[in-house]
Amino acid sequence: MSGVRGWRESSRYRTAAASSTSFSSQSYPLDGNNKTEEAENHQKLTTSEGEQSGQASVYQQQQEQYVGPYVLITPNETRRSQLQQIAQKELDDLERWKEEHRPGPIQLVPQRLGGKESEAQARQKQQMMLMQSKYQQKHKREEYVKAKKAAEEAEILKKKAIQREKAEILEAKKRQQEMQRREMFLENQY
């Protein structure tokens, strides 16, 4: 497992070493532009080495630990603190926005509500409606029971009619068989 990490680190430095040797191995003609190009190349080399050392330090901060079959990667503390600062700033902005856009107090002109009836009349009306609603519920229940009974009776009458038709058909078959038997009997007698 550590061989993989070693390969990663060495490959990173291998690319850096290859890029630095490519600049140093190039030959330029000696003129005024050559010195400025060399200075620019030197600056590029130092910045790329600085970036690589920064990547290495980030890599050192965020190390892998091998615990059995699992790989534990420690969190990057600087990245975590940056994310927490951003989240805290957004929460503060939200609180500020809520505070700025809070609705103000409502000011209504006082009015007399409830119409022109007195309180006693309104209570009496409510009492009457309550009693009527009780009677209406009772009447509705009775109507429902009556309708249910009527539906059941209609179903029973329908079943009786079907059975009556079946009985009549059976009776007709019996009569016909009786007639055929009599005819057979009369034929056998003569």
Side-chain angles (χ1 to χ4, degrees), residues 2 6 20 22-23 46 78 86 89 103 112 119 122 124 130 137 140-141 144 153 158 173 177:
S2 62
S20 64
S22 64
F23 287 120
T46 55
T78 56
I86 291 169
K89 181 179 178 266
R112 183 177 179 143
E119 184 179 347
Q124 187 178 9
L130 180 66
Q137 285 177 357
K140 199 183 250 186
R141 219 175 289 126
Y144 175 72
E153 286 181 17
K158 187 177 177 183
K173 276 186 181 178
Q177 286 176 356

Side-chain angles (χ1 to χ4, degrees), residues 29-137:
L30 293 173
D31 59 351
N33 292 336
N34 188 16
K35 291 179 183 176
T36 56
E37 287 176 3
E38 286 178 1
E40 288 174 3
N41 288 340
H42 182 68
Q43 272 186 334
K44 286 179 185 176
L45 276 174
T46 55
T47 55
S48 64
E49 287 173 359
E51 288 173 4
Q52 287 174 355
S53 66
Q55 289 176 351
S57 67
V58 167
Y59 185 76
Q60 287 171 356
Q61 285 178 356
Q62 192 173 4
Q63 292 181 356
E64 297 175 352
Q65 295 177 355
Y66 300 100
V67 180
Y70 303 106
V71 176
L72 297 176
I73 299 174
T74 57
N76 188 347
E77 290 298 324
T78 56
R79 177 77 174 141
R80 186 170 185 270
S81 62
Q82 287 173 353
L83 289 174
Q84 283 182 338
Q85 287 175 356
I86 291 169
Q88 188 62 38
K89 181 179 178 266
E90 288 177 356
L91 284 173
D92 293 341
D93 291 344
L94 177 66
E95 289 297 323
R96 195 176 319 113
W97 184 88
K98 281 183 181 177
E99 192 65 34
E100 289 172 359
H101 293 84
R102 186 191 307 179
I106 299 172
Q107 296 177 352
L108 291 175
V109 178
Q111 297 178 10
R112 183 177 179 143
L113 302 175
K116 297 178 182 175
E117 294 179 344
S118 67
E119 184 179 347
Q121 289 173 340
R123 289 190 187 276
Q124 187 178 9
K125 191 175 181 182
Q126 281 181 342
Q127 189 70 23
M128 289 293 292
M129 287 174 65
L130 180 66
M131 296 203 33
Q132 285 177 358
S133 69
K134 285 181 184 177
Y135 288 124
Q136 285 174 354
Q137 285 177 357

Side-chain angles (χ1 to χ4, degrees), residues 12 48 101 112 142 164 188:
R12 206 180 284 155
S48 64
H101 293 84
R112 183 177 179 143
E142 288 174 356
R164 193 175 299 121
N188 285 340

